[in-house]
Amino acid sequence: MYYQDLKDIDKGFVYPNSPMMDVRVRKALSKAINRDELNKAFFAGHGKPIYNYSFNPSWPGWNPDWEKRFQAEYGYDPQAAQALLAEAGYGPNNPLRTSMISMVVQGIAAGPDIAEAIANYWAKVGVKVDLTPMETANFAAQQRDVKDRKSTR
């Protein structure tokens, strides 16, 4: 979900037909993940939930309702995930297909294992995941390449 031009969002998105443009799909993918299980398995239960990726509770603009609504809106519920996918047009005869990069992230050596666990959660609700292992340096190079291509448009 990338804008073609951040200076002119009216130009639209780079991939406007991506399934990820559908909020039901994004919500289903979130509801398919058992965060408590991941936290216990990979962080010995010390991980802290993130209720809004771009906000911290200590920052101005934080809305405490995000935390209150999170479980109902995005919390682990595989049956609801399957229902949302079906509502969005995906199911056994038309599975959602997506890709995921698997790599070590700074400070999280278990990144590939976590990615594989998430891919398995998604598979349990009928999502077909193409898991692509990648070295961090290659990922950074690809990110720079995308930025460079966008600046020449």
Side-chain angles (χ1 to χ4, degrees), residues 87-141:
E87 190 180 309
Y90 299 100
N93 297 327
N94 181 34
L96 172 65
R97 296 181 184 279
T98 192
S99 58
M100 178 189 297
I101 294 172
S102 168
M103 67 182 188
V104 173
V105 178
Q106 183 178 1
I108 306 175
D113 296 324
I114 295 169
E116 186 175 346
I118 291 171
N120 285 327
Y121 285 126
W122 289 351
K124 287 179 184 176
V125 298
V127 178
K128 304 288 183 187
V129 182
D130 175 24
L131 199 57
T132 304
M134 187 175 290
E135 294 295 324
T136 308
N138 293 341
F139 180 78

